[in-house]
Amino acid sequence: MAVSSLRELWRYRGFIRASVQREVQLKYKDSVLGLWWLIGSPLVMILIYTLVFSRIMHSRLPDMDMAYAYSVYLCAGLLQWNLFAEIVGRTQSFVVENANLIKKASFPVISLPVIASLGSLVNFGIIYGLFALFMLSQGLFSLPLLLVYPLVLVVLVAMAFAAGIILAVFNVFFRDIGQLVPLTLQLLFWATPIVYPASILPESAKAWLSWLPLYNLMTLSHQLHLGIAWSLQLLLYPLGLSAGLTVLAMTVYRRLYGDMLDEI
């Protein structure tokens, strides 16, 4: 099934590319500031968290004297988290939101979550581009970051997409899933060291939290962006998890596709 789905997606690559382009253009077409809204929302969030944690709560990174260390830590975590959450959120609702279109579809249905995920990646690319310029200005954009961080993003996107597909299928039969996903994402956000350093956690908590899907990816991302010692072994668990979720997503989607169409 995976090979046939990839072939279908390749056949409709022009449709997918045009749909992503149209989605980005229409989203900001009638707004005065256009794409600046895309930049403004995460920028405001980062500024608020920086003010609260760095200025008010006087959060500091251990053994880091760099002036913008905490801001870099915060940006690296939040931008990555926003990409994950957006892909999961948009993918898990694609069946319910496009029920009428799916019934009449003359194109591979799986292209809908692919389009949504690519749109999220475009948004991330624009924002991360600005962050990369800041990193360059501070002399922090290193060769390991350039070579290894794309692997982190590939694993993260694969994990988010697979999880979203599984949730999308079951959301057809159990509509409460659509309400539980935002709550679960909030719990994962605060359980994962994104706005606070993992060093403040007790060792027992670290042992448990390290099993969370994004814990290792966030840790490796922070290491790469801050230019400190990093370990590629941190990718092993997320890689295995994303592979397992992908197999599960393909199995669930294939076996329940017919029932899903009947239900919607």
Side-chain angles (χ1 to χ4, degrees):
M1 178 194 172
V3 175
S4 62
S5 296
L6 288 174
R7 286 175 179 168
E8 284 292 293
L9 290 173
W10 179 252
R11 274 184 57 202
Y12 283 84
R13 63 189 182 279
F15 165 72
I16 293 172
R17 182 176 60 250
S19 297
V20 173
Q21 184 178 353
R22 183 170 60 252
E23 177 185 304
V24 174
Q25 289 174 343
L26 289 177
K27 189 173 183 180
Y28 304 101
K29 181 180 178 182
D30 297 322
S31 62
V32 177
L33 296 179
L35 288 175
W36 285 105
W37 285 114
L38 175 64
I39 301 166
S41 179
L43 182 60
V44 169
M45 183 188 300
I46 289 168
L47 289 175
I48 290 173
Y49 278 121
T50 300
L51 176 64
V52 171
F53 283 90
S54 184
R55 299 301 179 187
I56 298 177
M57 296 180 65
H58 302 290
S59 297
R60 292 289 184 272
L61 298 180
D63 303 321
M64 293 293 295
D65 296 326
M66 186 175 61
Y68 299 104
Y70 184 75
S71 295
V72 170
Y73 182 93
L74 198 57
C75 287
L78 281 177
L79 296 184
Q80 189 167 293
W81 169 262
N82 286 343
L83 175 62
F84 177 83
E86 187 175 349
I87 291 177
V88 171
R90 297 184 64 184
T91 304
Q92 64 87 24
S93 62
F94 90 92
V95 178
V96 174
E97 291 181 354
N98 297 282
N100 292 330
L101 180 61
I102 289 173
K103 290 178 181 178
K104 307 171 186 175
S106 57
F107 56 87
V109 173
I110 197 66
S111 66
L112 293 175
V114 169
I115 291 168
S117 298
L118 289 175
S120 298
L121 273 170
V122 170
N123 294 344
F124 172 82
I126 294 171
I127 303 167
Y128 188 82
L130 296 175
F131 180 44
L133 289 176
F134 171 76
M135 295 280 292
L136 279 170
S137 71
Q138 299 298 312
L140 295 172
F141 206 89
S142 61
L143 184 61
L145 178 62
L146 184 64
L147 297 178
V148 179
Y149 190 57
L151 299 178
V152 175
L153 292 179
V154 168
V155 174
L156 179 135
V157 170
M159 186 187 301
F161 185 79
I165 293 295
I166 296 169
L167 292 169
V169 173
F170 286 110
N171 192 28
V172 174
F173 308 101
F174 309 102
R175 296 300 172 90
D176 287 345
I177 287 177
Q179 309 302 319
L180 286 172
V181 167
L183 176 61
T184 304
L185 287 174
Q186 280 294 315
L187 292 174
L188 279 175
F189 175 81
W190 288 108
T192 306
I194 298 173
V195 299
Y196 59 85
S199 58
I200 70 172
L201 298 172
E203 291 301 322
S204 57
K206 289 182 190 177
W208 284 103
L209 293 178
S210 63
W211 291 100
L212 292 175
L214 293 187
Y215 188 96
N216 282 10
L217 290 179
M218 285 294 173
T219 301
L220 182 54
S221 175
H222 287 141
Q223 291 172 349
L224 291 168
H225 283 89
L226 289 169
I228 58 180
W230 55 277
S231 172
L232 203 57
Q233 288 185 347
L234 289 170
L235 268 183
L236 294 180
Y237 170 62
L239 183 61
L241 182 59
S242 63
L245 285 174
T246 300
V247 172
L248 180 60
M250 290 190 298
T251 303
V252 167
Y253 185 79
R254 182 182 69 246
R255 293 187 178 180
L256 296 179
Y257 184 77
D259 294 335
M260 186 175 68
L261 291 183
D262 293 336
E263 186 70 21
I264 62 175

